[in-house]
Amino acid sequence: MRRVRSRDGVTGRRPRTVPGPSDHVVVVGAGLAGLSAACHLLGAGRRVTVVERAALPGGRAGRWELGGFAIDTGPTVLTMPELLAEPFAALGEKLGDRLELTPLDPVYQARFADGSRLAVRADAEAMEAEVARFAGAREALGYRRLRRWLTRLHDAQMRRFVDTNFDSPLELLRPDLLRLAALGGLGRLEPRVARFLKDERLRRVFTFQALYAGVSPARALAAYAVIAYMDTVAGVFAARGGVHALPRALAGAAAEAGAELRYGEPVLALERRGERIVAVRTPHGRLPCDAVVLTPEPEVSYRLLGRRPLRPLPTRHAPSAVVLHLGVRGAWPSLDHHTLSFGAAWRRTFHELTVAGRPMSDPSLLITRPTASDPTLAPPGRELLSVLAPCPNTRLGPGPEEWRALAPGYRDALLATLERRGLAGLGAAIEEESLVTPAYWSDQGHPAGTPFSLAHTPAQTGPFRPRNLVRGTVNAVLAGGGTTPGVGVPMAVLSGKLAAARITGGAR
């Protein structure tokens, strides 16, 4: 098939594409990025084979069945359904025909150490009234101004800096960058949000998302307030069947469009001929291909390729997480679908996570109760809770073996913290549980024991992030959280789209 070079409709430039034939593409990994790439490739007329080491689709967005409880093993927050709809649209389908999404109200319940509570709502008028109740009319006015800024920041970035393939950092030097700078996007996140909100509790609600990018709010670029836009303005959604229903839906759409999905089939090696990958080897044999999309972490993909990335600075990984999954008796209506439980400490916790390399002494936690939206995820009369506690990655903090020793005590401390913060009787109500630590992530092959990939430091953002084209291999493309545009469910889906565009020439 002839190579196509496509002009980007927003910037006018021509992103590089894979040269030579691309009729048959092998996608390594059936996570969100790989399945998104498969759908876009199929929509462009390519033949696609997806190989996945696990027994089901999803990658990090997998599923455990534990005593009748259906547990999402990875992300629990779904945002930006318009981006999630794109791979389905590439196949001529509608997201709503494959996945039932319900907007959450509130998107979060925020609980603070002083006992105060805030219902975080995506609706502007409802949230303004809630902020006025919580912190007064002046802060409500500041919220309105913050919301307008978040929207303008999102509009300035999404199509020009996020949903685009970069070939060089020099491509940043265009008027769009001046617009982003004029909005304050190149400054620091925490001081910028403080211009709108004086109440420290409110500032937490609009800056804690920086941890998703792997940096503290004090050091994160203000441009990463776009993550706060995604949940506090665009809204958070619940999927019928849990977050794992999204990769199941993508896999179903891809299979019906002609993709061959091969589960339980890890990749052993890539067969090379000069600068091209000509086949993928698995325990079941040899898969000839014209191009390959690699969705494991960049370190893993480069090992398969027999190459080393050329970077002037070593890569830095994001913090990791301990996740306690609980199947409990009774109803827990005091918890919303998502509850943020903030400790009294703030800056100290980020120092512990990103500098000192030790677990948070006064943790801030994300508690997800998916049965608030879909009771079928648990047996009758039961609830499913997942408690996420950020922790240092294994290159900065305790290593995998240390975590195996720390795990029982950390679990007990986490339950004690939750009971002190209003969930009395939680420990006695547990019927099923599973504790996930960085040791698990390491066992799954995630570098630095973190599922959150590379941190979004300035040196690992935009065109400075590991690119999705590979030097020295002309027909291999990367996708996933470790490459452009970054981490999170919408970004993983976008990365698959951008990887497919490197092969098909499609810009958007």
Side-chain angles (χ1 to χ4, degrees), residues 58-69:
R60 267 163 271 196
R63 168 62 52 85
W64 287 339
E65 299 289 340
L66 186 64
F69 295 91

Side-chain angles (χ1 to χ4, degrees), residues 30-32 35 56-65 70-79 84 88 95 98-102 104 236-251 325 337-338 366 368-371 373-374 376-377 384 386 488-490 492-493:
L32 294 172
L35 292 170
L56 73 170
R60 267 163 271 196
R63 168 62 52 85
W64 287 339
E65 299 289 340
I71 298 171
D72 281 320
T73 63
T76 60
V77 180
L78 277 180
T79 62
L84 308 184
F88 296 99
L95 172 67
R98 292 275 180 179
L99 186 68
E100 182 183 341
L101 293 179
T102 304
L104 294 177
V236 179
F237 295 77
R240 182 76 173 175
V243 174
H244 180 64
L246 173 59
R248 285 205 314 271
L250 286 167
H325 299 290
H337 190 111
H338 295 296
L366 171 62
T368 300
R369 176 180 160 239
T371 41
S373 304
D374 186 356
T376 66
L377 297 173
L384 177 60
S386 292
V489 171
V493 172

Side-chain angles (χ1 to χ4, degrees), residues 307-367:
R307 295 290 187 268
R308 296 185 65 182
L310 297 178
R311 290 183 63 85
L313 298 172
T315 54
R316 176 182 160 191
H317 283 79
S320 185
V322 173
V323 186
L324 179 59
H325 299 290
L326 300 173
V328 296
R329 291 185 299 276
W332 297 80
S334 65
L335 295 171
D336 283 302
H337 190 111
H338 295 296
T339 299
L340 296 165
S341 176
F342 291 106
W346 186 240
R347 287 181 177 271
R348 186 180 80 220
T349 60
F350 286 102
H351 178 82
E352 290 167 339
L353 289 172
T354 63
V355 179
R358 59 177 180 264
M360 293 180 291
S361 55
D362 184 16
S364 290
L365 309 170
L366 171 62
I367 308 167

Side-chain angles (χ1 to χ4, degrees), residues 17 47 93 95 99 116 181 225 249 255 268 274 359 362 369 387 389 424 467:
T17 54
R47 183 164 68 91
E93 295 200 22
L95 172 67
L99 186 68
S116 58
L268 303 178
D362 184 16
R369 176 180 160 239
V387 183
R467 288 181 215 155

Side-chain angles (χ1 to χ4, degrees), residues 93-132:
E93 295 200 22
K94 294 181 179 179
L95 172 67
D97 293 337
R98 292 275 180 179
L99 186 68
E100 182 183 341
L101 293 179
T102 304
L104 294 177
D105 183 35
V107 297
Y108 299 110
Q109 176 193 151
R111 297 183 174 189
F112 301 92
D114 63 1
S116 58
R117 298 186 183 187
L118 175 75
V120 182
R121 296 195 145 91
D123 178 79
E125 292 185 3
M127 185 59 183
E128 185 175 4
E130 177 68 3
V131 171

